[in-house]
Amino acid sequence: MHKRVMDTGTPTPAEDLMIAVERLVRYVRRSAVTGGLSTAASSALSRLGREGPQRLTELARAENVSQPNMTQLVTRMERAGLVRRTADHSDGRGVLVEATADGLDVFRRRRAERADALRRLIEDLTEPEQRAVRVALPALARVIDDRHSRS
């Protein structure tokens, strides 16, 4: 039997929003099934699909994992034909990790699956709620980008 720990305090609006965001992210992530990827592989492949080739160290740092863990993940993804390692032409000693054509196809299909899941959720909202989501989420993304560019 699992013991459930409950916070008896009244949640703040930020806590309520955090719970909603966590549930949304889990729902949308679970909707992407193409390729049968782990969360870590899906995240790394998505980053490579969006941002292009990266050094393994940069990819590990961006994904907040150790370099040995990222090396293992990239090796598994390489065996699956999703990524490949190539020479970094700007530094002959360096190696870049890039998505293959198959990897990009999986990335695009998974993104479409997640977008479709989000679209279906939004369709179930009232029109005012839909407008609010379409304004609020991009605004939050912009603030995140602004904070990253300052750090």
Side-chain angles (χ1 to χ4, degrees):
M1 174 176 259
H2 291 91
K3 184 175 180 179
R4 189 170 180 186
V5 177
M6 302 209 35
D7 181 2
T8 57
T10 304
T12 66
E15 290 169 331
D16 285 340
L17 183 58
M18 187 66 238
I19 291 166
V21 168
E22 288 171 344
R23 290 177 68 193
L24 174 66
V25 168
R26 274 194 305 272
Y27 175 81
V28 170
R29 276 189 178 157
R30 276 188 256 140
S31 68
V33 296
T34 297
L37 302 179
S38 68
T39 301
S42 177
S43 182
L45 184 61
S46 292
R47 184 172 302 280
L48 293 170
R50 285 188 319 271
E51 299 174 10
Q54 295 187 20
R55 286 177 167 252
L56 197 118
T57 52
E58 293 168 350
L59 188 58
R61 189 177 312 112
E63 292 296 314
N64 201 29
V65 299
S66 69
Q67 188 169 341
N69 284 346
M70 184 55 68
T71 299
Q72 290 176 357
L73 179 62
V74 166
T75 298
R76 288 192 303 273
M77 293 171 65
E78 200 170 28
R79 286 184 190 136
L82 301 173
V83 301
R84 70 176 149 256
R85 298 171 209 233
T86 61
D88 183 348
H89 298 297
S90 66
D91 178 356
R93 299 169 298 156
V95 174
L96 295 174
V97 178
E98 67 180 356
T100 62
D102 286 347
L104 289 173
D105 181 56
V106 168
F107 158 68
R108 288 182 192 111
R109 290 170 52 201
R110 290 178 69 86
R111 177 178 264 186
E113 289 169 337
R114 291 189 307 265
D116 189 52
L118 185 57
R119 179 193 53 76
R120 288 191 315 269
L121 283 176
I122 291 171
E123 285 175 351
D124 288 344
L125 298 173
T126 66
E127 186 57 40
E129 290 169 331
Q130 288 180 24
R131 282 193 303 273
V133 166
R134 288 189 178 109
V135 170
L137 293 182
L140 286 170
R142 178 187 47 77
V143 170
I144 291 167
D145 290 344
D146 289 350
R147 286 184 178 210
H148 280 324
S149 67
R150 286 186 295 213
S151 58

